[in-house]
Amino acid sequence: MASTFTRMLSSRNTAALVATLGAGTLASGYLLSESGISAADKKKLYPPSADYPDLRKHNNCMASALTPAIYSHLRDKETPNNWTLDQCIQTGVDNPGHPFIKTVGMVAGDEESYEVFADIFNPVIKDRHNGYDPKIMKHPTDLDSSKITSGVFDDKYVLSSRVRTGRSIRGLMLPPACTRAERREVERVAVQALAGLKGDLSGRYYSLTDMTEKEQQQLIDQHFLFDKPVSPLLTASGMARDWPDARGIWHNNEKTFLIWINEEDHTRVISMEKGGNMKRVFDRFCRGLKEVERLIHERGWEFMWNEHLGYILTCPSNLGTGLRAGVHVRLPLLSKDPRFSKILDNLRLQKRGTGGVDTAAVGDVFDISNLDRLGMSEVELVQIVIDGVHYLIDCEKKLEKGQDIKVPAPIAQFRK
Amino acid sequence: CVMGNDWMALSPCSKRNGFEYPDLSQHNNHMAKVLTPEMYANLRDKETSSGFGVDDVIQTGVDNPGHPFIMTVGCVAGDEETYEVFKDLLDPIIEDRHGGYKPTDKHKTDLNPENLQGGDDLDPNYVLSSRVRTGRSIRGFCLPPHCSRGERRAIENLAVEGLSSLEGEFKGKYYALKNMTEEEQQQLIDDHFLFDKPVSPLLLASGMARDWPDARGIWHNDDKTFLVWVNEEDHLRVISMQKGGNMREVFTRFCTGLTKIESLFKEKGHEFMWNEHLGYVLTCPSNLGTGLRGGVHVKLPNLSKHQSFGEILKKLRLQKRGTGGVDTAAVGGTFDISNADRLGFSEVELVQMVVDGVKLLVEMEKRLEAGQSIDDLMPEQK
C-alpha cells in the first residue's frame, strides 16, 4: 500500500516538476504500471517543450531549421517502422558542428522518414542543396554516359578518376535503424546480384567478418578497405552498431568497380581507375549500376527512389544523385593562387585532401569533385566536373607559362 | 510495393529469429557467454513498459567484443524493470559477475558508519588518499542509456534542488556542464572532480552519452570532500574523498551525506531504486547491490613486485587499478586498491575489507622495505 502511494506521489510530483519546466496542461489521472511509466504515458507527462534539445551552441542544418514548433508537431510521430524524430536528429544534437563547417545534423532511418518528417527534412534539404524545394521541384535521373563530351584529361595532371554513389534497397531500414536481420538481408541481396555480373565487371565479395589477415592487408594497400567509423557524426547516428556484422567489400577482378556493403548506406558504388579517362570511369559506372539494378529487379527488389528526392540515402546531403565524381589532380601553381577558391566556387567544384573528406592536400595534389548532388542529373554533374577540371588544368598551364588566368562566371544551379 | 522473396516478410516490424541473433563468436564478455540463440528468441519480443528491448540491453556487448584478459559485462539496463523483464539473461550474468550470487539471494544494506571498526589509522606515509563512491537511481525515471531529454533534465532539477538544501559540512554548489565558465572548468580539473564526455566505446555504445552535455553537472561541497555527479553513467554518483588514510571519516561522511540526500528526495516524493534482492539498482549490472567502490591510493613499490601480490589481493577480495581509475596503469609504485565486490556484502562489510586489507598490505610493504619476509602475514581467503 505504502509503495503504491509513494509511486503516485512520485508521479504527481514529477508532474509538478515538469510543469515548472514550462509544460502547460497535463492530462490528469494518468496510469502508472506496477513497475514503471509506459512509453505512451511518458509522452503525456513530458510535453515536447520538455524534450526540445538545447541547440544554442549548434551550427548544423538541423539546428538551423528545427524550431520548437516543428519539434512539437513531429515529436510523437513515427514512421511505419516506428522510427522517430529524436532518432533522426540525435547525431545533430550530439555533434554541435564547427563554426566554419556546416554539417547536416540528421539522418533518415527509412525511406518514410523523408515523408513523415518532411517538415524538418525539407528545410534542411533546401539549406543543404542550394534552395532545392522537394515539395515542388523534380529531380532528373540520367545515367546515359554516351552524352558525355571531352571526358579524358591530361595524365600529366590528373592522376586518377573516380565516380561514386549510393543505393538503398527498398523495404529495408537504413543503416542508422536497421536490425541485424535487415542488414544481413541487404548483404544477401547485394552479394547475390553482384554474383551475376559478367565480363569486365565479374568479381568477388570479401566479408569483413570472414576476411583473412592477408586479404585485409591487400585491400588496405589498394585503398579499398573501409574501417569501422570513428567519426562521432557517424557513430552517434547508430550506423556502426553490430560492426562488422554483414559489412563487406565487393570488387571486380580489374579492381575498377567496387561496392561497399552496409557502411554509411546499404551500398556505395564506386568506379575508379588511374589516369584521366573519366569517360571510361563513368561508362563503367553507369553500365555497372544498371546491370546491378536489373539483377535485383529479377528477384523482386528495387532501389529507393522518387521523383522529388531522386535516390534515397541515409544522409540528406547525398539525396538526388548521391554522386561524387572527382579526380586527383596536381595543381601546384593554381592552388597557391588567391583566386583558387573563387574559381572552384564558380565552377561548382569542391576541393578535398587526397585522403577524402576532412583531410588535407598532400604535395599539391587535390581531390576535386562536384559540390552538388540534388537537382541536376548524373550526366550533368559529371559534365560539370569534366568541364571544370579542364578549366583548372588550363589555368595551371597558363600559370606555368607565366600567363594570367581568369575567374570564370558562375555556372547555373539546377536546370532551367 | 515490392514483390520480394516470400520468405522475407516485408512488414515493417518483421524480424526473423535466426537472422537476428548476434554473431558473438569473437566475443569475450558476460553477455556473450550467457546469451544462447534460444534465450535470444525468447526475449526478443519482450520489452519493458518504457520500450526497452533485448537488443537495447545487449547492444554495447555486441559492439564491444571485449578483451581476452578482461571480462566486461556487455549489457546495461534502460530502466528498473529491465532487471525483471530480462531476468533470464541478467540473472546468470549477475551470478557469474558477482561471485555466485543466486536469483534467490538477499542483499543486505548497511550504511551505519558506527558498524565500521577502526579505519581511522591507515599510515598516511603510504596511504595518500581515501575515497568511497556509489551510485543512485531515482525510481520512476529511465536510466541513462534510455532516458529522454525531458527525464534527464527532471533528474538534474531534482538533484540540484535536493543538494542545494544541504547544510554544514555538506553545503555546496552545482556546476552544470553546459554553463561552466573556463575558470570553473579549470578549477574542477585541478581538483580532479571534472568528468568528461565519455569516449570509451563501452559507454558510448549504450547510448548514455546522448545529448551531451545537456543536464549533466557536478555538485560539490565547499570543503571539496563530498561530490555528486549528475547524469553521467548513472543518475547520481556520490563520492566522499580526502587526502590521507582516515577512511573512517570518509565513510562516515559518505553515509551521512547519502542518508541526508535520500531523505531530501523522499520529502519530495521520490525514492531510490532499490529492492531486497538486487540492492541499489544501477545502469550496469556490475554496480548492483552497494554500487560501492571504496579505495585508497597507496604506495606499494616493493609489495607490488612480489610474486604473490596478485594472490594476496585476491584473498583479501581487493582489486588494483592505476591511479587514473579503471583501465589505467599504476605510476611509480602507487596503486588504487579497492574492494572487488559490490553485491552480496553490505557497505560496512566492503569498507571493512578495504580497511583491514590495506592495513595488512602496508604492513607487508614495511616488512619488505626492511628486507624481511612476509610469509607469516599471508592472509586466508576472505
Side-chain angles (χ1 to χ4, degrees):
Chain A
M1 191 61 189
S3 57
T4 317
F5 180 75
T6 312
R7 263 198 297 280
M8 280 175 61
L9 195 61
S10 161
S11 67
R12 207 178 303 141
N13 281 298
T14 307
L17 185 74
V18 169
T20 68
L21 297 171
T25 327
L26 286 172
S28 60
Y30 36 77
L31 296 154
L32 283 183
S33 71
E34 262 300 303
S35 31
I37 306 177
S38 77
D41 291 328
K42 197 153 82 160
K43 283 185 182 157
K44 287 192 213 126
L45 207 52
Y46 295 93
S49 54
D51 281 334
Y52 181 71
D54 183 349
L55 300 170
R56 289 170 297 171
K57 298 208 168 90
H58 287 59
N59 181 42
N60 56 51
C61 299
M62 179 278 292
S64 299
L66 187 70
T67 61
I70 294 176
Y71 183 77
S72 179
H73 177 58
L74 296 178
R75 188 198 67 167
D76 296 336
K77 295 199 165 137
E78 284 183 358
T79 68
N81 297 309
N82 307 118
W83 189 250
T84 64
L85 175 70
D86 279 334
Q87 286 168 312
C88 286
I89 66 172
Q90 191 67 60
T91 179
V93 176
D94 289 349
N95 295 287
H98 191 275
F100 302 158
I101 303 169
K102 196 166 189 184
T103 45
V104 174
M106 65 187 303
V107 292
D110 51 17
E111 189 167 6
E112 293 86 345
S113 296
Y114 286 105
E115 190 55 50
V116 174
F117 307 115
D119 286 349
I120 180 62
F121 271 109
N122 285 352
V124 165
I125 288 167
K126 218 165 169 181
D127 187 4
R128 179 62 176 213
H129 294 283
N130 313 302
Y132 185 88
D133 187 347
K135 290 204 292 284
I136 54 178
M137 293 164 77
K138 295 222 166 74
H139 170 79
T141 291
D142 186 356
L143 285 161
D144 181 359
S145 60
S146 68
K147 295 176 180 163
I148 293 294
T149 60
S150 317
V152 183
F153 305 114
D154 187 339
D155 273 18
K156 223 173 77 189
Y157 297 90
V158 173
L159 308 177
S160 62
S161 309
R162 180 185 187 266
V163 181
R164 70 88 160 148
T165 188
R167 290 290 185 264
S168 310
I169 315 251
R170 179 161 278 162
L172 298 167
M173 292 187 83
L174 296 169
C178 64
T179 64
R180 278 182 292 274
E182 286 176 305
R183 199 186 296 111
R184 290 162 178 173
E185 184 66 5
V186 168
E187 185 188 38
R188 193 194 64 80
V189 170
V191 173
Q192 200 177 65
L194 294 165
L197 291 175
K198 299 192 180 6
D200 71 317
L201 293 178
S202 97
R204 224 204 101 162
Y205 182 62
Y206 302 83
S207 139
L208 249 61
T209 38
D210 297 339
M211 210 172 273
T212 66
E213 284 276 353
K214 211 171 107 165
E215 285 167 340
Q216 193 172 296
Q217 195 51 53
Q218 178 83 352
L219 288 166
I220 290 172
D221 295 339
Q222 290 156 355
H223 307 290
F224 284 176
L225 188 65
F226 60 88
D227 263 326
K228 177 171 183 178
V230 292
S231 159
L233 288 169
L234 297 178
T235 53
S237 74
M239 48 150 298
R241 289 168 302 125
D242 314 311
W243 203 276
D245 198 313
R247 272 81 168 195
I249 292 161
W250 182 98
H251 69 74
N252 67 349
N253 300 327
E254 332 271 311
K255 295 169 195 169
T256 52
F257 192 64
L258 174 65
I259 319 273
W260 288 354
I261 311 262
N262 285 318
E263 193 235 12
E264 189 185 328
D265 282 293
H266 283 174
T267 66
R268 283 286 177 96
V269 179
I270 301 151
S271 171
M272 60 199 271
E273 61 183 66
K274 293 239 179 287
N277 199 334
M278 180 61 92
K279 171 116 173 73
R280 188 162 60 204
V281 168
F282 189 53
D283 277 342
R284 185 186 315 113
F285 177 83
C286 294
R287 196 162 38 91
L289 263 178
K290 287 191 206 136
E291 190 53 16
V292 170
E293 186 157 23
R294 189 188 68 76
L295 288 161
I296 67 167
H297 277 180
E298 269 180 10
R299 288 177 176 79
W301 297 91
E302 48 184 19
F303 292 140
M304 291 182 195
W305 181 94
N306 72 51
E307 60 174 1
H308 291 289
L309 296 179
Y311 288 101
I312 305 288
L313 295 176
T314 304
C315 181
S317 69
N318 282 321
L319 289 167
T321 59
L323 185 140
R324 192 171 94 85
V327 296
H328 283 186
V329 57
R330 287 191 328 105
L331 300 168
L333 298 173
L334 181 59
S335 58
K336 292 187 189 58
D337 191 294
R339 294 164 286 186
F340 184 42
S341 284
K342 185 76 181 133
I343 293 171
L344 289 174
D345 272 354
N346 286 3
L347 293 173
R348 310 261 351 123
L349 296 176
Q350 161 190 79
K351 75 179 197 289
R352 300 181 181 191
T354 50
V357 67
D358 299 333
T359 64
V362 172
D364 304 322
V365 179
F366 288 83
D367 175 322
I368 303 288
S369 64
N370 52 296
L371 265 173
D372 304 306
R373 306 265 182 276
L374 174 65
M376 282 195 274
S377 75
E378 289 81 353
V379 164
E380 286 168 327
L381 290 175
V382 172
Q383 195 63 59
I384 283 173
V385 172
I386 287 169
D387 296 345
V389 170
H390 277 307
Y391 192 91
L392 296 175
I393 292 173
D394 212 60
C395 287
E396 183 69 23
K397 286 177 172 167
K398 285 199 163 81
L399 291 172
E400 273 171 29
K401 296 196 203 110
Q403 293 167 358
D404 197 22
I405 58 173
K406 274 211 306 245
V407 174
I411 63 177
Q413 297 168 28
F414 309 141
R415 30 173 64 179
K416 300 204 192 309
Chain B
C1 72
V2 186
M3 305 168 302
N5 296 301
D6 49 19
W7 62 266
M8 171 72 183
L10 287 165
S11 73
C13 298
S14 136
K15 296 175 186 182
R16 313 184 88 71
N17 286 352
F19 300 100
E20 278 300 353
Y21 182 72
D23 180 353
L24 300 172
S25 52
Q26 309 293 317
H27 288 58
N28 183 45
N29 58 50
H30 286 289
M31 180 277 293
K33 268 176 81 176
V34 166
L35 186 71
T36 60
E38 295 71 39
M39 186 189 283
Y40 181 78
N42 289 334
L43 294 177
R44 219 202 52 193
D45 294 323
K46 294 192 182 186
E47 57 177 37
T48 67
S49 318
S50 74
F52 203 65
V54 72
D55 284 332
D56 299 314
V57 176
I58 66 173
Q59 191 67 60
T60 180
V62 176
D63 289 348
N64 296 287
H67 191 274
F69 303 157
I70 303 169
M71 186 84 153
T72 45
V73 174
C75 57
V76 291
D79 50 24
E80 190 166 9
E81 227 185 311
T82 303
Y83 287 101
E84 189 54 47
V85 172
F86 299 105
K87 62 195 334 291
D88 289 349
L89 169 65
L90 294 172
D91 279 349
I93 290 175
I94 288 166
E95 190 163 344
D96 198 2
R97 179 64 175 212
H98 293 285
Y101 193 81
K102 304 243 172 316
T104 47
D105 285 342
K106 301 261 186 286
H107 171 81
K108 208 173 59 175
T109 293
D110 182 0
L111 283 160
N112 184 352
E114 299 300 314
N115 292 339
L116 183 71
Q117 294 175 13
D120 56 353
D121 59 350
L122 298 174
D123 190 337
N125 291 315
Y126 293 83
V127 179
L128 307 177
S129 61
S130 308
R131 179 186 188 265
V132 180
R133 69 89 158 149
T134 188
R136 291 291 185 263
S137 311
I138 307 180
R139 181 159 278 165
F141 294 88
C142 290
L143 296 170
H146 191 48
C147 65
S148 64
R149 279 183 291 273
E151 282 180 298
R152 202 187 293 111
R153 290 161 178 172
I155 290 161
E156 184 190 35
N157 282 330
L158 276 173
V160 173
E161 220 183 280
L163 294 165
S164 66
S165 61
L166 291 173
E167 287 163 353
E169 67 163 327
F170 294 105
K171 183 160 139 353
K173 200 185 142 177
Y174 182 67
Y175 303 84
L177 248 61
K178 65 178 181 181
N179 293 337
M180 215 172 271
T181 65
E182 284 274 354
E183 217 186 78
E184 286 168 337
Q185 191 172 296
Q186 194 51 53
Q187 183 65 36
L188 286 166
I189 290 171
D190 295 339
D191 293 330
H192 305 289
F193 284 177
L194 188 66
F195 62 87
D196 264 326
K197 178 172 179 176
V199 292
S200 159
L202 289 168
L203 298 178
L204 294 176
S206 75
M208 50 149 295
R210 288 168 302 126
D211 315 312
W212 204 275
D214 198 314
R216 271 84 166 191
I218 292 160
W219 181 97
H220 70 76
N221 66 352
D222 297 337
D223 296 336
K224 296 179 185 171
T225 53
F226 193 72
L227 175 63
V228 178
W229 287 354
V230 180
N231 287 318
E232 194 234 10
E233 189 184 330
D234 283 293
H235 287 169
L236 307 172
R237 282 285 177 99
V238 180
I239 301 151
S240 170
M241 60 201 270
Q242 68 193 52
K243 294 237 180 288
N246 195 339
M247 181 61 95
R248 187 180 188 82
E249 201 169 80
V250 169
F251 186 56
T252 303
R253 186 185 311 113
F254 176 81
C255 295
T256 311
L258 259 179
T259 311
K260 279 196 197 311
I261 292 172
E262 184 159 20
S263 59
L264 284 166
F265 273 90
K266 284 214 168 108
E267 273 173 30
K268 298 202 154 52
H270 292 277
E271 45 182 22
F272 293 144
M273 291 183 194
W274 181 93
N275 66 59
E276 61 173 2
H277 166 54
L278 294 178
Y280 289 101
V281 175
L282 294 176
T283 303
C284 180
S286 69
N287 281 321
L288 290 166
T290 60
L292 187 142
R293 191 171 93 83
V296 298
H297 283 186
V298 57
K299 290 202 266 199
L300 301 169
N302 293 292
L303 182 60
S304 57
K305 292 192 191 64
H306 194 281
Q307 61 183 14
S308 299
F309 185 44
E311 203 197 305
I312 293 166
L313 288 176
K314 199 151 171 260
K315 292 218 158 83
L316 295 173
R317 307 195 73 87
L318 297 177
Q319 161 191 83
K320 75 179 197 291
R321 300 181 181 190
T323 51
V326 68
D327 300 332
T328 64
V331 172
T334 303
F335 287 80
D336 175 319
I337 302 289
S338 63
N339 53 294
D341 303 296
R342 304 271 182 273
L343 174 66
F345 298 91
S346 75
E347 289 82 354
V348 166
E349 285 169 337
L350 291 176
V351 176
Q352 192 69 64
M353 274 188 240
V354 173
V355 157
D356 297 344
V358 170
K359 209 162 179 192
L360 179 63
L361 294 175
V362 170
E363 217 189 309
M364 286 178 165
E365 178 66 25
K366 288 174 173 168
R367 288 274 195 96
L368 292 172
E369 252 175 55
Q372 295 162 358
S373 146
I374 55 170
D375 291 346
D376 62 310
L377 293 177
M378 287 298 173
E380 295 290 311
Q381 177 67 54
K382 281 198 178 294

